[in-house]
């Protein structure tokens, strides 16, 4: 089973952190492994996921979109319908309950798009935890709606002015906070990145997406899908969908990376397509770095994808060929945002729009009996300002 | 006997604690670093830690982050640090330790790094985000070349980890005085003396204390329980305040001398 005991997926993963964090990571690993086997914990999580977060989410057959693209049958896994509007809540409820189990009273989180920040703030309010969220000032500007939502929920948003002032820098600051307040604080990391056990734990909490999808597609189509398509930033929504299908070798995985203004321009967030192996934020994985090993600035219209690294399990999927990775530019994502809005009446998050954009290219090339499932990981309300700006509209 | 071992023996004989200043290579430029090392030695430094700047220094507070930014503005690299050590070795035999983050070493190639470091006169290496469990490759090459691998121990390390760290550290053990990032603090962390005594019982190797050690008074308080004191942010603050002054090197020297008097 992957990862191995030291948190490695093949050569990727591990635990590259300051010594001060090592004991806490070991404690977290133990707490998580005992919770995983504890029926009461699982029952409580299941209760909150269904009664509070609104699971299971529908697997919606996008009839109009299928017709418009004129090829494979397209299904949308509607994570956008979860409470808080994205899949992030699956993980924050899990880790929130785990925080209580460990007897800690304070959580910290990083956020790019604000989706994980909001989902953490919600879980903290529900479970009675103190919550502080680190967010780059660049992202605070582009996702002001989510910033205010977090504040309304009783969380504190701490602006991060270092580095490029986006997700990477928010993680740096959260790690510095954690090193300082380790004894009373749980770092509620939002993606399948970071030191072991985060990549496997977050993937497990998100695997509910793929487990439901499998049941639903078997019921609706009577067979497994041909393609699973999801956007890849750190990897939580994509691995959540992919992982339960890992052994179903005929199901193809396609991870869509943010190509920003185009990979050739250097302004993108595609470590799997254009990066090299290195160590950032606690694990060994593909990342965007310069010749000297300094982390490069990234760009994507979708703040949740604007990150120079990627989860180690994705690096492993790339290395072994289990998944295929493709680029989608800002422009293509915007076009897909409008396409889904106008054919199906659903506004996707710009992150999820990357997955849609690739399907818009893929579906027409496939025959009508093929089945594609897209993870619609979040809804697009938070992005209306960005879209308006990109279209040259003043709100 | 390598330079670090010899130095700790010499310091012990004099019943002193080793003063280990930390500066960032290339802050504000490489010429200044090259001038600072012999100046600090002249003023009483025993070992010098040379920080190689990284874009994402998660164990560092604002002062060292700023030094890294100043240095990275002109793209200081690990290669620059290695070249600098080669130059320094023409003028000084003071033990030199490189401190950085693992990605820079990994990116350079561990074997290539160790060979060049040793060849140029580096005595030890510390990677702030490399716990003993992940260090097998670095240790393998470093042992072969007799380059010291120094690991961090912290107040949150349980006894079995402290033992492991003590076993794997060569040269000295770097004890992190507090739970937190680097930076100037007014007071020493509570329980520090107790923790140092506990660590002393586990090992015969020299222990250097760092993170938060910022003034002569701090050094006086720990000198009976440790073998070395690492001072980083407090020195870098002097650099930061004197960036435009032509007396920068001398002012850092003055501060180092005050620290050395407490050792």
């Amino acid at each position: 089973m992957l990862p191995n005991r030291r948190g490695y997926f093949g050569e990727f993963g591990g635990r590259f952190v300051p010594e001060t964090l090592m004991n806490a990571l070991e404690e977290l690993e133990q707490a998580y492994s005992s919770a995983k086997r504890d029926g009461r914990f699982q029952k409580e999580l299941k209760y909150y996921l269904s009664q509070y977060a609104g699971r299971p989410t529908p697997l919606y057959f996008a009839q109009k979109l299928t017709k418009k693209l004129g090829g494979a049958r397209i299904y949308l896994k509607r994570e956008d319908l979860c409470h808080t509007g994205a899949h992030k809540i699956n993980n924050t409820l899990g880790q929130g309950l785990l925080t209580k189990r460990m007897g800690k009273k304070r959580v910290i989180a990083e956020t790019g798009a604000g989706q994980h920040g909001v989902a953490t703030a919600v879980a903290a309010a529900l479970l009675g935890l103190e919550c502080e969220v680190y967010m780059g000032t660049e992202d605070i500007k582009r996702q002001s709606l989510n910033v205010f939502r977090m504040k309304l929920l009783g969380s504190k948003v701490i602006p991060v002015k270092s580095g490029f002032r986006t997700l990477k820098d928010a993680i740096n600051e959260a790690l510095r906070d954690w090193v300082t307040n380790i004894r009373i604080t749980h770092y509620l990391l939002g993606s399948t990145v970071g030191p072991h056990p985060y990549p496997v734990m977050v993937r497990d909490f998100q695997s509910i997406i793929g487990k439901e999808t499998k049941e639903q597609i078997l019921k609706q189509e009577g067979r497994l899908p041909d393609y699973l398509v999801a956007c890849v930033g750190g990897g939580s929504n994509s691995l959540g969908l992919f992982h339960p299908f890992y052994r179903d070798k005929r199901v193809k995985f396609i991870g869509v990376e943010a190509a920003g203004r185009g990979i050739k321009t250097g302004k993108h967030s595609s470590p799997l397509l254009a990066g090299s192996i290195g160590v950032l934020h606690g694990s060994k994985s593909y990342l965007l770095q310069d010749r000297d090993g300094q982390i490069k600035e990234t760009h994507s219209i979708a703040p949740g994808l604007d990150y120079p690294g990627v989860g180690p399990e994705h690096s492993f999927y790339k290395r072994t060929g289990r998944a295929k990775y493709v680029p989608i530019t800002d422009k293509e994502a915007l076009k897909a945002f409008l396409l889904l809005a106008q054919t199906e009446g659903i506004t996707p998050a710009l992150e999820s729009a990357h997955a849609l954009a690739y399907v818009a290219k893929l579906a027409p090339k496939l025959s009508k009996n093929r089945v594609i499932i897209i993870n619609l990981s979040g809804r697009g309300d938070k992005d209306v300002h960005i879209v308006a700006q990109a279209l040259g509209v003043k709100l | 006997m390598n330079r670090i071992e010899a130095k700790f023996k010499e310091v012990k004989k004099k019943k002193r604690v080793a003063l280990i200043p930390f500066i960032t290579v290339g802050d504000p430029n490489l010429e200044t670093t090259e001038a600072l090392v012999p100046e600090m030695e002249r003023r009483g430094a025993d070992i010098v830690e040379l920080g190689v700047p990284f874009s994402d220094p998660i164990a560092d507070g604002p002062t060292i982050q700023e030094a890294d930014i100043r240095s990275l503005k002109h793209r200081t690299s690990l290669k620059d640090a290695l070249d600098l050590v080669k130059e320094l070795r023409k003028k000084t035999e003071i033990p030199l330790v490189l401190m950085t983050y693992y990605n820079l070493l990994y990116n350079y190639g561990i074997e290539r790094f160790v060979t060049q470091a040793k060849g140029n006169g580096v005595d030890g290496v510390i990677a702030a985000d490399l716990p003993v469990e992940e260090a097998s490759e670095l240790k393998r090459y470093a042992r072969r070349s007799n380059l010291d691998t120094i690991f961090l121990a912290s107040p949150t390390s349980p006894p079995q980890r402290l033992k492991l760290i003590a076993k794997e550290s060569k040269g000295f053990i770097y004890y992190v005085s507090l739970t937190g990032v680097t930076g100037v603090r007014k007071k020493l962390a509570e329980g520090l003396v107790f923790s140092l005594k506990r660590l002393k019982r586990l090992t015969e190797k020299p222990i250097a204390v760092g993170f938060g050690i910022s003034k002569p008074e701090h050094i006086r308080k720990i000198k009976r329980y440790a073998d070395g004191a690492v001072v980083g942010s407090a020195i870098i603050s002097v650099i930061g305040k004197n960036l435009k002054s032509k007396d920068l090197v001398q002012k850092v020297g003055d501060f180092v001398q005050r620290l050395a008097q407490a050792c």
Side-chain angles (χ1 to χ4, degrees), chain A residues 6 8 14-20 23 26 168 172 176 179-180 277-279 289-295, chain B residues 53-58 60 65 72 103-104 106-107 128-129 131 133-134 152 154 156-158 161 165 179-180:
Chain A
R6 289 177 51 233
Y8 276 86
R15 199 175 260 170
F16 296 83
V17 293
E19 171 61 25
T20 308
N23 193 49
E26 271 160 35
K168 164 185 81 87
N172 288 344
R176 290 180 186 123
V179 167
T180 307
I277 299 171
V279 173
Q289 56 186 330
D290 68 14
R291 215 185 42 202
D292 297 333
Q294 309 294 352
I295 307 307
Chain B
F54 180 47
S55 53
D56 295 81
I58 55 166
D60 286 302
Q65 286 178 47
L72 287 173
N103 194 53
L104 295 192
Y106 182 81
N107 181 278
D129 57 349
E133 287 87 342
E134 300 289 357
L152 304 177
S154 99
T156 57
S157 314
R161 286 195 62 79
I165 291 160
T179 51

Side-chain angles (χ1 to χ4, degrees), chain A residues 21 24-25 28 32 41 45 49 52 84 87-102 104-112 114-135 150 155-156 167 170-179 181-182 184-195 197-199 201-203 205-206 236 281:
Chain A
L21 298 180
L25 289 169
L28 177 62
Y32 172 58
F41 179 89
L45 177 58
L49 286 174
Y52 184 77
T84 72
H87 71 292
K88 293 289 184 187
I89 189 101
N90 302 327
N91 171 49
T92 62
L93 285 172
Q95 284 195 50
L97 290 172
L98 198 58
T99 305
K100 292 194 79 168
R101 193 182 165 94
M102 290 187 293
K104 292 187 170 178
K105 294 195 164 52
R106 176 176 183 261
V107 290
I108 52 171
E110 81 296 341
T111 199
Q115 292 304 97
H116 174 58
V118 169
T120 305
V122 159
L126 173 73
L127 301 171
L129 301 164
E130 186 194 330
C131 174
E132 297 189 28
V133 180
Y134 288 89
M135 189 169 187
M150 286 183 267
S155 287
K156 205 166 139 192
L167 183 55
I171 296 181
N172 288 344
E173 274 313 304
L175 284 168
R176 290 180 186 123
D177 178 314
W178 203 29
V179 167
N181 301 298
I182 188 97
I184 54 160
T185 302
H186 172 62
Y187 180 13
L188 212 162
L189 188 50
S191 195
T192 50
V193 300
Y198 284 105
M201 178 173 70
V202 176
R203 178 257 274 166
F205 283 135
Q206 292 294 358
S236 74
H281 294 153

